Amino acid sequence: MIRLIEKGLMFGNLVHISSPALVERYNRALQHLAGKTTALTDFHVDISGYSPEVGIELGDELYLNPNGVNRQFILLTTEQKRAPLLNVKFSTSRDILREFIEMNEAQLFALTATDAVAGELVNSVFKLTAPRDLLNLRKIEIEADTVGGTLRKAEQLAGMVERFKTEEDAWFDDVLIAKMIETAKETGDVTRNPVHLRHTAFEQRNFWTAHFGGLYLFPDLDYPAAICMGERPDDVPIEHVFEPTQRHRIAAFLNDNNLVETIIEARGVNAAAVLQQKMDFLTVHAAADAGVDLTGLDRSDMRRLARNHADRLPEAFHGLAQLLRWASDGGPWPRITSDHPAYFYTLRAADTPNRDLVNMLLTELAPLDPRQMFICHKELFYSTYKTWPETKKAYVADFLAREYQVDKAGARAALFGHEPDMSGNDRISEDIIARVGPWGAVRKG
């Protein structure tokens, strides 16, 4: 994985913590949440405050996420909102944390100026014992405070102020006045500057979880279903439960709920270029299995590889080739139904609130497209990457660093539709989308 880290494809955009004051605050928060501390003086954290270096030191990559449920977090700076979430167990967790930070940014900025904010994504389940428990995770609430209890004390002070204003003899209550003065030294004037976090409850409707071998749950649709990537569970309380081999049923589910569109019909996409790139990835897969050196491949090299290893090319390659001939040369329209291996390679998520979740699912159903996997399902990408031959690892890492890293937002917009960037600026001009190649390289001229 060193190759991915060096190219900025793994652990990218983490927040560097090296200040002694921040390290000390982190240790206080870590002790408060998990009863542990780190001896490291220099490490990186994700949006939740999880550090891969601290995880290695403690021998526990779930030290802020016990049992993979009720994720805890440590905020040292609001800049963490731009960081990824590592060791994802639920597809909604990062969005919830980011929205929480953005909705309370001014308050959190003030609080983290002097202390760490520690908290937890709380639901009614503390340990998942069966898949049926997942549907109890519909509402997520965030509980948070500084390690020193600033918010709790501010609430107490506000109550004392109200008593002072309303109780008849409060002016003569020396104990109450003394407590107010002492608490105000820690919280400031809560009458002029109320300290309160808002928007701390979130609905978790349709989501993916890494638990039970990987499950996609869509209970909140007109035609609900669950799709299990591991062993089929018996106790999911949804009428329809599908496995990856049930391609017809999954295709019908996606279409009945209007969750997908074909690459050919998608607006603003150079369909021929997208199809060609997918075919290139399938060619690379076949060549890598044959032990071919994939260094420095160009278009003619890719055609040569496809010819030389035609007997190894997966059936999906030939279906995409037929579709490419139609898109490029006006050839006959190919009949690619859901039983064809190319079918899910020809789809992308429609523009619905479930777009990102559907693109994750399509990634698992079309697993030989590493670029889509890297964009839409990083946990799957990293686990799959470990199984590849070295020559394929090198090719994919070089490709992503060269083509995708150049223009992440543009590449995602061109492939999957409009996607706001991490700064919250959700305006991407049509001109930019038109100029960006489907795999990230800006066209000249």
Side-chain angles (χ1 to χ4, degrees):
M1 310 300 274
I2 298 298
R3 183 185 287 113
L4 295 179
I5 297 172
E6 290 174 345
K7 293 181 179 295
L9 299 169
M10 189 175 187
F11 301 147
N13 295 327
L14 296 181
V15 178
H16 187 204
I17 304 299
S18 59
S19 158
L22 291 183
V23 172
E24 190 273 334
R25 291 177 195 170
Y26 187 86
N27 266 328
R28 289 180 62 223
L30 188 56
Q31 178 67 43
H32 174 73
L33 290 176
K36 303 174 182 179
T37 59
T38 175
L40 300 178
T41 58
D42 181 17
F43 50 88
H44 299 77
V45 297
D46 69 2
I47 188 173
S48 73
Y50 168 80
S51 167
E53 297 102 322
V54 174
I56 292 171
E57 177 197 23
L58 298 177
D60 181 9
E61 66 177 19
L62 296 179
Y63 69 88
L64 284 182
N65 195 16
N67 300 319
V69 190
N70 293 313
R71 186 151 194 150
Q72 298 171 313
F73 61 88
I74 298 171
L75 295 180
L76 299 173
T77 167
T78 54
E79 285 302 302
Q80 285 173 235
K81 71 178 183 179
R82 305 180 188 280
L85 180 66
L86 305 180
N87 298 325
V88 179
K89 297 299 181 184
F90 291 90
S91 59
T92 53
S93 296
R94 184 180 183 277
D95 289 339
I96 289 174
L97 279 170
R98 184 176 66 182
E99 188 173 349
F100 169 71
I101 295 172
E102 290 177 344
M103 292 293 292
N104 296 282
E105 190 154 5
Q107 299 282 46
L108 291 171
F109 182 84
L111 292 170
T112 56
T114 57
D115 202 354
V117 172
E120 185 174 351
L121 276 63
V122 180
N123 57 69
S124 59
V125 177
F126 295 99
K127 185 176 182 179
L128 293 171
T129 58
R132 63 176 177 272
D133 296 336
L134 290 167
L135 291 189
N136 295 325
L137 306 179
R138 298 298 295 271
K139 185 178 181 181
I140 307 296
E141 294 191 7
I142 289 186
E143 295 181 356
D145 199 348
T146 64
V147 177
T150 301
L151 295 176
R152 174 176 50 81
K153 292 173 182 176
E155 187 175 348
Q156 293 172 350
L157 178 57
M160 288 187 283
V161 169
E162 186 63 22
R163 280 181 56 197
F164 184 76
K165 289 179 178 179
T166 58
E167 291 184 5
E168 184 176 351
D169 297 326
W171 286 89
F172 307 104
D173 190 336
D174 293 337
V175 174
L176 175 62
I177 294 172
K179 284 184 179 179
M180 289 170 58
I181 294 173
E182 190 64 28
T183 305
K185 291 178 182 178
E186 299 183 62
T187 65
D189 186 350
V190 296
T191 59
R192 294 187 178 183
N193 301 294
V195 183
H196 177 69
L197 296 179
R198 61 194 180 98
H199 198 62
T200 58
F202 301 84
E203 289 292 324
Q204 181 171 257
R205 299 182 180 276
N206 304 314
F207 61 93
W208 165 87
T209 177
H211 294 279
F212 308 111
L215 274 171
Y216 291 83
L217 295 172
F218 294 91
D220 196 40
L221 293 176
D222 290 339
Y223 306 99
I227 300 170
C228 54
M229 308 312 295
E231 184 177 348
R232 183 188 179 107
D234 296 324
D235 56 353
V236 178
I238 296 179
E239 181 178 358
H240 300 292
V241 181
F242 305 134
E243 300 173 75
T245 55
Q246 296 177 286
R247 297 172 63 87
H248 290 296
R249 295 195 174 191
I250 294 174
F253 158 75
L254 293 172
N255 282 289
D256 289 345
N257 287 289
N258 298 312
L259 294 175
V260 293
E261 62 186 7
T262 67
I263 294 170
I264 295 295
E265 68 185 344
R267 179 174 175 269
V269 170
N270 184 338
V274 174
L275 293 170
Q276 182 63 69
Q277 186 60 71
K278 289 178 181 288
M279 291 168 59
D280 286 349
F281 284 136
L282 295 175
T283 301
V284 164
H285 172 74
D289 281 350
V292 175
D293 183 6
L294 302 174
T295 305
L297 296 180
D298 58 21
R299 169 57 38 214
S300 61
D301 294 328
M302 201 66 72
R303 286 194 297 269
R304 175 179 50 79
L305 283 177
R307 286 194 302 270
N308 293 345
H309 301 279
D311 57 330
R312 290 178 172 268
L313 292 173
E315 187 60 28
F317 177 95
H318 302 294
L320 293 176
Q322 294 174 38
L323 197 56
L324 178 61
R325 282 193 291 272
W326 175 85
S328 301
D329 307 322
W333 174 255
R335 181 172 174 76
I336 299 178
T337 57
S338 56
D339 60 346
H340 196 293
Y343 179 76
F344 290 112
Y345 287 93
T346 69
L347 302 180
R348 77 172 193 178
D351 188 13
T352 73
N354 296 296
R355 182 192 59 195
D356 292 344
L357 182 61
V358 172
N359 276 329
M360 279 185 74
L361 172 60
L362 291 174
T363 294
E364 298 217 46
L365 299 172
L368 299 182
D369 185 344
R371 185 185 183 285
Q372 179 167 333
M373 188 184 295
F374 180 78
I375 294 174
C376 300
H377 200 336
K378 281 190 172 58
E379 296 297 308
L380 179 63
F381 176 85
Y382 294 136
S383 62
T384 305
Y385 177 91
K386 296 176 183 178
T387 69
W388 291 338
E390 282 300 316
T391 183
K392 183 175 180 179
K393 289 180 180 178
Y395 174 85
V396 172
D398 290 343
F399 177 90
L400 292 173
R402 183 179 68 251
E403 302 290 341
Y404 173 63
Q405 297 286 71
V406 170
D407 184 8
K408 297 178 182 179
R412 293 178 182 182
L415 273 173
F416 304 115
H418 170 67
E419 180 173 357
D421 65 21
M422 295 299 290
S423 68
N425 177 14
D426 59 1
R427 297 182 60 83
I428 301 177
S429 72
E430 292 297 322
D431 176 63
I432 290 295
I433 294 176
R435 289 192 302 109
V436 175
W439 300 100
V442 178
R443 300 191 187 107
K444 297 180 180 179

